Amino acid sequence: MEHRTLGHSGLRVAPIGLGCMGMSFAYGGADEATSLRVLHRAVELGVTLIDTAEVYGPYVNEELVGRALKPLRGKVHIATKFGFKILPHGQGVERMAGVDSRPEHIRQAVEASLSRLGIECIDLLYQHRVDPAVPIEDVVGAMAELVRAGKVRHLGLSEVSAATLRRAHAVHPIAAVQSEYSLWSRDVEAEVLPACRALGVGFVPYSPLGRGFLTGQLASSAALAPDDYRHSLPRFQPPAMAANAKLVAELQRLAAARGATAAQLALAWLLAQGDDIVPIPGARSLAHLEENVAAAQVKLSDSELAAIGAAIAPASVQGARYPEIELAMVGL
């Protein structure tokens, strides 16, 4: 795969990365042995950007990634995130209790992540969500200290506004912004993506397949495990899913005409939005991983891009991408 550089950072990665959250968190139970095989196969296929976070599990996803990639460390770039208060009891999202980006907490979180990952330096460290109680200058200042200490190579921010990105970048170069971006979530196109490009910051879309919905393989919420996080999302409520499925059906029609899958068309469309974009679709099976990676070989014409973009126009999508309490945490 032809590599891309995240902005002006010098961090070169394969055009499609791997998001590991679903291997341990949010989408129902996952099989650890299969997850390890997926991680190993991803590296065999040339994937170089592996994304995790302390809150995935919490903690267990970093441990999984660390175990899987220990013998392959020189072949991958590991990204992780800090920024949530994590309670010592409960399960999954029940353990998340707001945000915490105090400098002392950042230092503690990074030391713990390094230990769980079994590495000496994090390739790309993100603030997971903005903490309104801590100025972004203080947050990035603490992150920059970790760069100088050799514990972190590159800095990133997740779900920030263009204004916050500019303030952060003035303190220390930001390599990448990670935010939700897909055919049905294009809010970043208005201000955040232009700001990234003006500053030389790469962009890493998470949930580039609409949390699986854009694959066309989710017929209804009944197909989700009882503890699947998507049950809480407005777009995955039955009326919204039924309406949105009609949009995805058109994407599937276009994909069939192209000899590809809906997932591959959705990823190829994202890749065509700029060579500074590196999506990180999740994969919990070898088949889905290989399907996603193959999307980098799908080259779309201008007319195909226009048709795909029109098939799932954001104005036609039913339901917000997050419930209100989580929407309040993005774009700060």
Side-chain angles (χ1 to χ4, degrees):
M1 288 187 287
E2 185 176 346
H3 282 37
R4 297 182 166 200
T5 302
L6 288 175
H8 295 165
S9 68
L11 179 57
R12 287 185 58 76
V13 294
I16 291 181
L18 176 63
C20 298
M21 180 181 78
M23 296 177 179
S24 310
F25 184 78
Y27 298 151
D31 179 74
E32 182 173 310
T34 300
S35 295
L36 290 170
R37 287 196 291 272
V38 168
L39 281 157
H40 291 158
R41 180 61 174 150
V43 178
E44 289 177 359
L45 292 171
V47 173
T48 58
L49 181 61
I50 307 295
D51 186 89
T52 182
E54 63 168 1
V55 79
Y56 299 161
Y59 308 133
V60 295
N61 195 252
E62 286 184 323
E63 294 169 352
L64 171 72
V65 169
R67 287 197 305 276
L69 300 181
K70 184 175 182 179
L72 304 167
R73 181 67 181 105
K75 297 182 177 181
V76 295
H77 300 291
I78 296 176
T80 192
K81 313 174 198 72
F82 70 87
F84 283 104
K85 295 177 184 176
I86 301 175
L87 300 174
H89 51 78
Q91 296 183 346
V93 294
E94 297 173 3
R95 296 181 65 177
M96 296 167 61
V99 293
D100 185 353
S101 283
R102 294 170 297 136
E104 59 268 31
H105 177 76
I106 296 171
R107 290 188 286 269
Q108 293 166 0
V110 166
E111 291 294 345
S113 288
L114 287 168
S115 177
R116 287 188 290 270
L117 290 164
I119 58 179
E120 295 181 355
C121 184
I122 294 165
D123 297 302
L124 178 55
L125 177 69
Y126 294 99
Q127 181 192 32
H128 210 151
R129 290 292 185 272
V130 169
D131 184 344
V134 183
I136 195 66
E137 291 82 0
D138 294 349
V139 173
V140 177
M143 296 169 75
E145 289 178 5
L146 293 165
V147 173
R148 290 190 287 271
K151 298 179 184 293
V152 173
R153 289 193 175 91
H154 300 281
L155 304 186
L157 302 171
S158 180
E159 290 286 9
V160 296
S161 68
T164 297
L165 172 60
R166 293 187 189 98
R167 290 169 54 198
H169 194 73
V171 176
H172 186 280
I174 302 298
V177 165
Q178 181 178 137
S179 293
E180 186 170 357
Y181 184 30
S182 68
L183 279 167
W184 75 350
S185 295
R186 303 189 213 172
D187 297 350
V188 297
E189 292 177 343
E191 296 183 2
V192 176
L193 261 180
C196 286
R197 286 165 175 163
L199 296 170
V201 176
F203 195 86
V204 178
Y206 73 81
S207 295
L209 297 176
R211 303 184 187 276
F213 196 77
L214 299 180
T215 66
Q217 302 304 305
L218 284 176
S220 74
S221 58
L224 305 177
D227 60 344
D228 194 300
Y229 164 71
R230 287 171 287 190
H231 285 296
S232 71
L233 301 179
R235 288 182 182 174
F236 287 84
Q237 303 310 303
M241 284 192 77
N244 294 331
K246 297 176 183 177
L247 307 178
V248 177
E250 176 61 13
L251 180 65
Q252 290 177 290
R253 186 191 69 78
L254 293 169
R258 186 61 163 73
T261 66
Q264 288 172 335
L265 245 61
L267 290 171
W269 179 89
L270 259 184
L271 290 171
Q273 302 311 302
D275 59 10
D276 52 353
I277 290 176
V278 179
I280 49 168
R284 301 202 298 175
S285 72
L286 291 172
H288 287 158
L289 169 71
E290 292 170 358
E291 177 185 2
N292 293 343
V293 172
Q297 305 306 316
V298 178
K299 306 303 180 185
L300 301 170
S301 67
D302 290 346
S303 60
E304 287 175 317
L305 287 167
I308 293 165
I312 306 183
S316 302
V317 175
Q318 299 298 303
R321 63 187 180 102
Y322 281 123
E324 288 185 10
I325 190 170
E326 292 181 66
L327 276 178
M329 300 173 69
V330 305
L332 299 178

